[in-house]
Amino acid sequence: MRQTVSTPDAPAAVGPYSQAIRSGDLLFTAGQVALRPDGTFVGGSVAEQTEQVMKNLAAVLKAAGVGFEAVVKSTCFLTDMADFEEFNRAYASYFTHEPPARSTVAVAALPKGARVEVELVARLG
């Protein structure tokens, strides 16, 4: 079973992709950058961008009927690993119990000039 998950409480896809796809009992989110649901970009610090990214992901998770406690894996992209500690502080506040497995990689650039992007895999049901 494959089902598209979307919500107006997170930014609409800016390309040929979905906000999230449910496949069986797993949810795969698209990577989120610091866009508000209206499509405007949140500039500023890595912490500010991470907060918006996580708000977007919270909205997508909610649309699928779960929260951050259901996340089993995250992949995080930073344009500068010097931002790792600042990113980590903001990110960690969303995982108050057992955090998911995670990969964090440095990339040359992200869409819209973002400094942070995060995608999640969550278990449903």
Side-chain angles (χ1 to χ4, degrees):
M1 175 178 125
R2 183 180 187 277
Q3 177 186 7
T4 300
V5 175
S6 66
T7 177
D9 296 329
V14 294
Y17 63 89
S18 300
Q19 288 176 334
I21 295 291
R22 177 184 183 149
S23 179
D25 64 350
L26 294 176
L27 180 75
F28 300 87
T29 74
Q32 289 286 326
V33 296
L35 291 174
R36 295 178 187 93
D38 67 5
T40 59
F41 185 70
V42 175
S45 71
V46 166
E48 291 168 318
Q49 288 193 25
T50 302
E51 287 294 326
Q52 186 61 53
V53 166
M54 299 307 282
K55 287 178 186 176
N56 293 344
L57 290 166
V60 173
L61 290 169
K62 182 178 178 184
V66 296
F68 285 105
E69 73 285 347
V71 175
V72 296
K73 174 71 168 83
S74 68
T75 306
C76 308
F77 306 91
L78 300 174
T79 58
D80 188 342
M81 276 299 183
D83 295 329
F84 185 79
E85 286 184 38
E86 182 181 356
F87 164 76
N88 237 10
R89 282 190 297 274
Y91 171 93
S93 69
Y94 287 85
F95 297 101
T96 56
H97 293 89
E98 292 183 27
R102 182 177 100 180
S103 301
T104 304
V105 296
V107 295
L110 290 168
K112 305 286 187 181
R115 298 168 66 185
V116 176
E117 182 172 351
V118 178
E119 65 183 31
L120 304 175
V121 178
R123 188 159 185 97
L124 304 172

